[in-house]
Amino acid sequence: MNSRYLPRVVDAEMVAGLRSMPAVVLEGPRACGKTSTGREHARSEVMFGSDPSARTAAEVEPAGLLEGPEPRLLDEWQLAPEVWNQVRAACDDGRRPGRFILTGSAAPADDITRHSGAGRIMRIRMRPMALFETGLSTGEVSMADLFDVGTRFADRPAAGLRDLIEAACRGGWPGCVHLDTTDAQAYSASYLQEVCRADIPLLGGPARDPVGVQRLLRSLARNVATEASQRTLASDTGGDHPMDPRTVGAYLDALRRVFVVEDVPAWSVQLRSRAHLRRAAKRHLVDPSLAVAALDGGPQRLWSDLTTFGLLFESMVVRDLRVYAQAARGRIAHYRDSSGLEVDAIIERGDGAWIALEIKLGGDTAIDRAARSLLKLRDTVEERQVGAPANLVVVTATGYGYRRDDGVLVVPLTALGP
């Protein structure tokens, strides 16, 4: 055990995965902590990212790299794609659990993993740290609590709005936990530059203009937490020669493969009303700090522009909800229909239970409006298909957690946990 290791919500999934499956693939954006988490659960390691000789050995004799105390960590395995089939074959040998941990910062082309790992390999997504992991959230209200109609109260958190603005600027990167906000913002700006300059080209395939990718990232930041289409993003890239929407689509695919873009899909549900569901996904970067960096923002500018921070706050809440929901085997979506009804997040568990959440900075008027949307959604969906919601929740930036007279739960982000 590393005494300096920052425990992660995903640790429990790692333990469960290694207990039941021969191999676990831990994937997510670069610098989110995959290597540290992999090492925490491994007994030996091969570091493809930092050891060129390991990549050479993978080309010559990949099977030899699998020999060592288990679980054996194969870090940044996509740099030595030859090991995939070797791991898959080794997993078939005896089928014993807990043999390999593979970490990866990019999803390889489909032809590399064309031989399925089904029944042998479990994939676990890792993201930047949620506020509970960085210590800014008390975790007083868990994801299980959100599915419990008995949840009633949470103390007023010590963290205020300025703390959340700084948290959005700093981001959930483990390397930034102990940095001041200015240095953390420089880190995020450098991160975006490396995504454009190095990470995307490493994917191979068609050439992608780093300047074009940077323009698209800035457009995504301007449109974060919206349903901006590829055509809208293309137009928003600006200049005399906006991008072709097909180019935007190709760049978005590349950004998804390096786990920088993670949109929220639309919820699919049967309605009682004549309204029609909208199918567009909501745009999100994997961490709000990347949007701040792309916009050249900072705490003071966001404090002066709470409308923009409101969108970034939604993106930060979505990041945290993804972390907590994944641990509860839940998936996140959003809702919008042709009547104009919108709800920011729906979390649906594998057992069919679901909750609906609206995300607001706070204030009685905003909370009232959010509660009305949630209650209208409850009355709009066909309960015979999905059942009644376990809870309707307004996530706020500050204030106490409590249950309103209409049954809607109000919870500050800084009280949420796994």
Side-chain angles (χ1 to χ4, degrees):
M1 287 286 184
N2 180 358
S3 61
R4 299 180 63 185
Y5 177 68
L6 296 171
R8 305 297 296 271
V9 173
V10 80
D11 283 325
E13 284 185 86
M14 289 290 293
V15 170
L18 291 168
R19 191 170 56 235
S20 61
M21 300 287 280
V24 167
V25 176
L26 184 62
E27 54 189 9
R30 178 169 53 82
C32 72
K34 299 182 302 300
T35 299
S36 295
T37 294
R39 281 178 157 170
E40 191 70 7
H41 296 272
R43 295 183 58 224
S44 65
E45 64 186 33
V46 182
M47 311 300 288
F48 291 115
S50 58
D51 186 356
S53 65
R55 298 196 292 273
T56 301
E59 295 176 359
V60 177
E61 192 180 359
L65 292 171
L66 307 189
E67 298 175 2
E70 298 173 352
R72 187 159 174 79
L73 172 62
L74 305 173
D75 190 58
E76 297 295 349
W77 76 270
Q78 79 280 354
L79 299 176
E82 299 85 359
V83 303
W84 175 267
N85 284 335
Q86 297 295 329
V87 168
R88 187 181 63 86
C91 289
D92 285 337
D93 182 15
R95 292 273 182 165
R96 62 184 185 275
R99 299 198 62 191
F100 304 107
I101 300 169
L102 291 77
T103 68
S105 298
D110 290 340
D111 60 344
I112 293 174
T113 56
R114 63 184 178 276
H115 297 297
S116 172
R120 312 171 183 92
I121 300 172
M122 175 184 290
R123 291 182 181 271
I124 297 176
R125 177 66 69 90
M126 193 171 187
R127 300 176 175 87
M129 303 175 82
L131 296 188
F132 174 75
E133 294 172 305
T134 62
L136 193 60
S137 172
T138 64
E140 186 177 357
V141 179
S142 70
M143 181 59 62
D145 291 331
L146 293 184
F147 280 88
D148 180 1
V149 293
T151 303
R152 293 180 179 275
F153 182 82
D155 286 333
R156 186 183 185 91
L161 186 59
R162 287 188 183 274
D163 297 307
L164 286 171
I165 290 174
E166 292 208 357
C169 294
R170 185 180 301 109
W173 311 105
C176 293
V177 169
H178 301 297
L179 298 182
D180 64 30
T181 305
T182 300
D183 290 341
Q185 285 193 263
Y187 178 99
S188 295
S190 175
Y191 189 106
L192 284 184
Q193 291 174 4
E194 286 300 295
V195 166
C196 300
R197 186 192 67 82
D199 294 357
I200 297 296
L202 277 175
L203 293 174
R208 302 172 183 90
D209 175 21
V211 175
V213 176
Q214 191 170 27
R215 288 166 60 197
L216 176 58
L217 283 165
R218 189 172 179 85
S219 178
L220 285 166
R222 282 194 291 265
N223 290 280
V224 74
T226 74
E227 298 166 56
S229 67
Q230 286 183 193
R231 187 170 297 277
T232 297
L233 294 173
S235 176
D236 188 57
T237 54
D240 296 331
H241 302 287
M243 286 186 191
D244 186 291
R246 291 170 296 184
T247 302
V248 167
Y251 286 6
L252 285 171
D253 180 64
L255 289 167
R256 292 187 190 101
R257 286 178 58 195
V258 295
F259 306 107
V260 167
V261 166
E262 190 173 14
D263 295 336
V264 174
W267 195 34
S268 178
V269 66
Q270 189 169 337
L271 306 181
R272 293 178 181 174
S273 69
R274 294 182 179 180
H276 300 289
L277 290 172
R278 302 300 191 189
R279 300 295 183 184
K282 268 195 174 184
R283 305 293 183 183
H284 286 279
L285 298 174
V286 74
D287 192 87
S289 65
L290 299 182
V292 176
L295 294 172
D296 296 322
Q300 195 56 47
R301 285 183 61 185
L302 292 177
W303 181 256
S304 302
D305 184 2
L306 291 181
T307 299
T308 296
F309 178 64
L311 295 172
L312 293 169
F313 176 68
E314 179 177 337
S315 199
M316 182 160 59
V317 173
V318 165
R319 178 201 64 193
D320 287 15
L321 290 176
R322 287 191 204 270
V323 173
Y324 306 148
Q326 180 176 306
R329 299 187 178 182
R331 57 184 182 272
I332 187 169
H334 79 95
Y335 179 94
R336 185 183 180 195
D337 65 31
S338 58
S339 75
L341 177 61
E342 299 182 43
V343 171
D344 294 324
I346 309 293
I347 298 176
E348 192 171 15
R349 287 194 317 207
D351 62 3
W354 63 281
I355 58 174
L357 306 97
E358 276 278 79
I359 300 167
K360 303 295 179 186
L361 288 180
D364 290 342
T365 300
I367 291 173
D368 285 344
R369 187 167 59 249
R372 286 196 296 272
S373 294
L374 292 167
L375 292 166
K376 186 176 180 181
L377 173 69
R378 181 195 62 188
D379 296 336
T380 298
V381 300
E382 180 53 74
E383 288 188 9
R384 288 178 298 176
Q385 298 295 321
V386 295
N391 244 327
L392 303 173
V393 185
V394 180
V395 179
T396 62
T398 59
Y400 291 99
Y402 60 95
R403 188 174 294 281
R404 292 163 46 104
D405 291 341
D406 57 14
V408 174
L409 186 64
V410 179
V411 182
L413 176 61
T414 47
L416 284 181

